[in-house]
Amino acid sequence: MTPDLIRAAAGRMAGHVRRTPLLNAPLLDRLAGRQVLVKAECLQLTGSFKARGGWAAVSALDEAARARGVIAYSSGNHAQGVALAAARHGAPCVIVMPSDAPAVKIANTRAYGAEVVLYDRATEDRDAIGTALASQRGLTLVKPFDDPQVIAGQGTVGLELAEQAAKAGVARAPVLIPCGGGGLAAGTALALEGTGLRVHTVEPAGFDDTARSLATGARQRNPSATGSICDAILTPAPGELTFPILQRLAGPGYSVTDDEVLQAMALAFAHLRIVLEPGGAVALAAALCRPDLPETVIAVASGGNVDPATFAAALDRPA
Amino acid sequence: MTPDLIRAAAGRMAGHVRRTPLLNAPLLDRLAGRQVLVKAECLQLTGSFKARGGWAAVSALDEAARARGVIAYSSGNHAQGVALAAARHGAPCVIVMPSDAPAVKIANTRAYGAEVVLYDRATEDRDAIGTALASQRGLTLVKPFDDPQVIAGQGTVGLELAEQAAKAGVARAPVLIPCGGGGLAAGTALALEGTGLRVHTVEPAGFDDTARSLATGARQRNPSATGSICDAILTPAPGELTFPILQRLAGPGYSVTDDEVLQAMALAFAHLRIVLEPGGAVALAAALCRPDLPETVIAVASGGNVDPATFAAALDRPA
């Protein structure tokens, strides 16, 4: 992984993937007690930064591989990012999704043009289904984070941030990033290497595998797979490719409670007028709640694919 | 009113008022049956385009007038736009608001640094209070739309749109704009004069004074002052300055139902991940619902200051 790979991905993405704005709000700064700059990746195509990694991976394939197509496992944002990139490249795309995934996510993934193959979580083996399909059709697997092109694609967030922070007069600040497998955090950290902007991962409390891995120097796993509202970032452990990058360039990692996440969603609604999903709001939650941060922080708001009931519950939360 | 005034306002606003993004979403286009480009002014500072007009007006004052301060009547977005601009210019600011305005709007206007003077709608005369204060303190009144500098400030939306549409490869398209007094529509129409982008006002059904005025060639009034969820744009009649501009450069005007507005808010939530207030969503509603529009339309989403209960109700609306 080198910064050149990120710049090359940015070149392939220009005009196809959105440059997202860096937002702020005076009244949010007052509540936080500091200046909070928010990189609004919820405004990205498909509603999350995953459109970047999907585009970078699909656009990096040679013509023959692209014509055979791609496959991904995901019930969420990665599915949509890969599906849109494949459609725009004219590449066949299969997304393997659990049959109990939210109907709207299945419908949206299909609407982006992907062939959705459903499997039963209880009785079927996802990897067996995917491997069989991939070998029958010659599909290329696009992994959600442990893939150099995917990390490079997510790293384009960092290239944009470096420019946007400089324009805002911010030379030094922590960059707080929602972290599941660590693709966004690792890519961004690589893009920001040598600047005054240092990446810190943010995870849900109880699912802080990356924070513990950074603290101990070895990859740690989460004790459970479910139990937080932040579904998009409940990855079991840091990636094999992403963790060494984070170890060299990022941390310490932070964590936030579900209640802090809901509060961040409500404040983003009221003061930034953006829609965040729980997993996309953890970095903003840390920026708003942690007393030990400096007077200016950057938070990446990584996604906004949330069902109406969850969002309404966040707004209904007592202030 | 000349385009020079708009360019001058843009020069004074650079670095202080946000250049808002032009958003789109493939799945929203599919639902609409056309390409819909959304100028997201809900992402503007203070949550609406009114921050532009406020900045343009306050920054145009000479130093002595600025030192004496400004005054505005508003319970909503204009209040916040003027208050923020005044605070950033170090100008004293009085906002005259009805005592039954939503508590959050009063609190936010104060938080931007304005002195809020409350009056009782039933027993007190707003204009008498404002005129007395203005003459005692030498305050300059910043009107919500019938002011050349305010129209010029709102017109900077048009300057940005011309560039953004060109970059998106759109040379000809209707530009749908939420319309109360017509400041945003008139300023934008002036900025777009001579391009292939033509402004059409959009109003709530039953409050389509501008559409009827454009159709009849004379300023018409609305029969009632309340009765739509689109509180931000329920102005009694087109402005004296704004209407002749609209007559020359814009129309015909459109109108949408409250139900179409709620649907547009829900679709903006789901596909663009932005928060729109009802009055800010009328143009998007027209872009999504009207069968008689061409294959590419631009809609300005003019504001996002909405209380959580109203927003949750829009999301809860049957699809």
Side-chain angles (χ1 to χ4, degrees), chain A residues 179-181 203-213 219-226 233-238:
Chain A
C179 185
E203 296 166 294
F207 300 84
D208 60 343
D209 50 301
T210 298
R212 287 183 289 109
S213 300
R219 289 164 69 214
Q220 307 287 324
R221 297 184 69 82
N222 287 323
S224 59
T226 57
I233 56 172
L234 300 186
T235 311

Side-chain angles (χ1 to χ4, degrees), chain B residues 55 58 63-70 82-93 112-113:
Chain B
W55 193 278
V58 174
E63 223 167 295
R66 212 183 288 170
R68 288 192 300 271
V70 295
V82 172
L84 181 64
R88 293 281 171 88
H89 283 86
C93 178
Y112 286 123

Side-chain angles (χ1 to χ4, degrees), chain A residues 145-253:
Chain A
F145 50 86
D146 253 345
D147 174 307
Q149 289 297 352
V150 170
I151 296 171
Q154 323 304 29
T156 59
V157 167
L159 297 183
E160 294 175 17
L161 267 182
E163 288 178 23
Q164 292 170 315
K167 204 173 164 193
V170 174
R172 297 192 71 78
V175 177
L176 309 181
I177 301 195
C179 185
L184 178 60
T188 302
L190 273 175
L192 294 175
E193 186 172 3
T195 71
L197 304 176
R198 182 179 176 87
V199 166
H200 297 261
T201 56
V202 184
E203 296 166 294
F207 300 84
D208 60 343
D209 50 301
T210 298
R212 287 183 289 109
S213 300
L214 289 170
T216 59
R219 289 164 69 214
Q220 307 287 324
R221 297 184 69 82
N222 287 323
S224 59
T226 57
S228 159
I229 56 171
C230 302
D231 58 279
I233 56 172
L234 300 186
T235 311
E240 285 179 44
L241 294 185
T242 55
F243 182 61
I245 298 168
L246 293 175
Q247 206 171 14
R248 186 166 70 80
L249 297 173

Side-chain angles (χ1 to χ4, degrees), chain A residues 18 24 30 111 273 275 305, chain B residues 18 24 30 111 273 275 305:
Chain A
R18 187 167 287 144
N24 72 297
R30 179 173 306 199
R273 293 95 190 170
V275 175
N305 290 316
Chain B
R18 187 169 288 143
N24 72 298
R30 177 171 308 199
R273 294 93 190 170
V275 175
N305 290 315

Side-chain angles (χ1 to χ4, degrees), chain A residues 13 21 47 49 95 104 114 117 119 144 161 172 184 194 202 256 260-261 285 298 316:
Chain A
M13 289 153 71
F49 72 96
I95 306 286
V104 64
V117 174
Y119 71 97
L161 267 182
R172 297 192 71 78
L184 178 60
V202 184
V256 291
E260 289 168 336
V261 169
I298 296 170
D316 201 30

Side-chain angles (χ1 to χ4, degrees), chain B residues 108-216:
Chain B
N108 282 355
T109 304
R110 284 195 173 122
Y112 286 123
E115 176 187 343
V116 173
V117 174
L118 298 175
Y119 72 98
D120 185 324
R121 276 191 221 249
T123 62
E124 292 184 288
D125 177 352
R126 184 186 79 167
D127 289 325
I129 294 169
T131 306
L133 275 168
S135 89
Q136 280 160 26
R137 304 196 200 170
L139 305 174
T140 301
L141 175 66
V142 181
K143 295 185 191 174
F145 50 85
D146 252 345
D147 174 307
Q149 290 297 350
V150 170
I151 296 171
Q154 322 306 29
T156 59
V157 167
L159 296 182
E160 294 174 17
L161 268 182
E163 289 178 23
Q164 291 171 316
K167 204 173 164 193
V170 175
R172 296 191 72 78
V175 178
L176 309 181
I177 302 195
C179 185
L184 178 61
T188 303
L190 273 175
L192 294 175
E193 186 172 2
T195 72
L197 305 175
R198 181 178 175 87
V199 166
H200 297 262
T201 56
V202 185
E203 296 165 293
F207 299 85
D208 59 346
D209 50 301
T210 298
R212 287 182 291 110
S213 301
L214 289 170
T216 60

